[in-house]
Amino acid sequence: MTSTNTSTALPNRGVPAEIDGPANPLRVVWRAIATIWSVPKARIGVVLLGAFIALAVFSPLIAPYSATDNSFGRSEDMSAAHWLGTTAAGQDVLSQIIWGARVSVFVGFAAGIFATLIAVLVGLSWGYIRTVAGDVINFVVNLFLVIPALPLMIVIAAYLQNGGIGMIILVVVITGWASGARVLRSQTQSLRSRDFVTAAVFSGESPGRVVFREILPNMTSLIVTNFFAAATAAILAEAGLEFLGLGDTTIVSWGTMLFWAQNSNALLTGQWIVLFAPGLCISLLATSLSLINFGVDGLSNPRLREGASR
């Protein structure tokens, strides 16, 4: 008489392997970092982003001069003393590039975090609840999506002019959360009908616990992707607002460098490096975040992992 082994547990098809049961947080983080690093494009993005973060953190040690020191000659060409020359106000361009990394990195990460938090809260609640409140959220999100972001950003920045970095972050967050909320809402609606969510509801779990303990862990890669997209948009928006003179022109950032270079007719005087250097840094910083996104996509879809072992 043969006996069958009934102790073998069937896999839970409703819950991904990485969240099925308790897992070591450090091991999960290390696995995520290894997955991102295995993608060549993401590897380049990580190196670029790390370089800009190092510039932002250690700018007092790296910069040869103070960013506001205007005791040098005006509009000097590149030399051993000033590798990228000087501005029309007599400031060292290289020092301003290094110090300006602080503003762009800080605005990008701060605005990206706040915009992502709002998108997560709105998107998950909007996708899970089925009451009149869902219709209200739908109206508000669609309203922000219909209004063109750039004109709205310019109007708000003009009204709150000279508000400093906080004003720019507020403007970017107000105009940048709606698209992420719509994407997260669609994913929440898809996960809401899964078996593991239904089991949690029938077991008596509260809606908040179902959303944040059952649905949210399955959206980690999507949330990270939304953060990088919001941070990229924030970096470009900050530079654009500063270039238009709608920000605080007294601070040193890549956007204000473009603003003052344009006001001093840098191209007409042959000081092209004053426009090219900050523009290149803005492009590289935004590109680094976009490249890292290729690795983040591999966390949720193994088929997208370039260079990963099969």
Side-chain angles (χ1 to χ4, degrees):
M1 181 176 179
T2 60
S3 61
T4 58
N5 187 3
T6 59
S7 62
T8 302
L10 294 176
N12 189 345
R13 299 182 182 273
V15 184
E18 55 266 20
I19 63 169
D20 189 11
N24 188 346
L26 294 178
R27 184 176 181 182
V28 173
V29 172
W30 176 253
R31 187 183 304 169
I33 295 174
T35 300
I36 295 175
W37 186 257
S38 66
V39 181
K41 294 178 183 177
R43 198 178 305 160
I44 297 174
V46 170
V47 173
L48 284 175
L49 181 60
F52 283 116
I53 293 177
L55 283 180
V57 174
F58 301 106
S59 52
L61 302 177
I62 300 175
Y65 308 102
S66 172
T68 57
D69 187 357
N70 58 357
S71 60
F72 309 108
R74 299 176 183 270
S75 301
E76 291 185 358
D77 294 330
M78 292 180 285
S79 62
H82 307 285
W83 290 4
L84 298 181
T86 61
T87 66
Q91 299 161 327
D92 183 65
V93 176
L94 178 60
S95 299
Q96 288 202 327
I97 288 292
I98 296 174
W99 282 96
R102 284 191 160 190
V103 175
S104 293
V105 172
F106 175 74
V107 170
F109 277 84
I113 289 173
F114 286 118
T116 302
L117 285 176
I118 296 176
V120 169
L121 294 176
V122 174
L124 267 65
S125 59
W126 182 21
Y128 186 77
I129 62 178
R130 303 182 183 180
T131 60
V132 180
D135 297 332
V136 175
I137 297 175
N138 182 39
F139 172 77
V140 174
V141 174
N142 288 332
L143 181 63
F144 276 90
L145 289 175
V146 169
I147 299 176
L150 182 58
L152 178 61
M153 192 180 300
I154 293 175
V155 169
I156 298 175
Y159 182 75
L160 300 175
Q161 196 168 5
N162 298 326
I165 297 299
M167 181 272 298
I168 295 179
I169 294 175
L170 177 63
V171 171
V172 173
V173 170
I174 291 176
T175 59
W177 64 269
S179 58
R182 175 169 286 277
V183 174
L184 294 174
R185 178 241 189 178
S186 301
Q187 185 67 10
T188 303
Q189 287 182 324
S190 175
L191 294 173
R192 187 178 57 187
S193 59
R194 298 290 181 88
D195 293 339
F196 66 95
V197 176
T198 303
V201 172
F202 278 104
S203 66
E205 299 288 353
S206 63
R209 187 176 180 85
V210 171
V211 169
F212 291 103
R213 293 294 300 271
E214 303 294 339
I215 296 179
L216 183 61
N218 291 272
M219 305 172 67
T220 303
S221 61
L222 190 61
I223 293 173
V224 174
T225 300
N226 182 79
F227 163 75
F228 282 118
T232 303
I235 292 169
L236 298 177
E238 182 272 333
L241 292 176
E242 295 284 8
F243 175 72
L244 294 175
L246 297 175
D248 187 359
T249 56
T250 61
I251 63 174
V252 178
S253 69
W254 296 335
T256 56
M257 289 184 66
L258 294 174
F259 171 78
W260 290 115
Q262 178 67 19
N263 282 357
S264 61
N265 296 320
L267 288 179
L268 297 180
T269 58
Q271 295 292 308
W272 58 270
I273 192 66
V274 182
L275 284 169
F276 176 77
L280 179 62
C281 290
I282 293 170
S283 302
L284 289 177
L285 181 56
T287 301
S288 68
L289 297 175
S290 299
L291 291 175
I292 295 175
N293 252 336
F294 287 99
V296 175
D297 290 339
L299 295 177
S300 58
N301 190 352
R303 295 181 180 179
L304 298 178
R305 300 177 188 176
E306 303 176 13
S309 59
R310 294 179 179 271

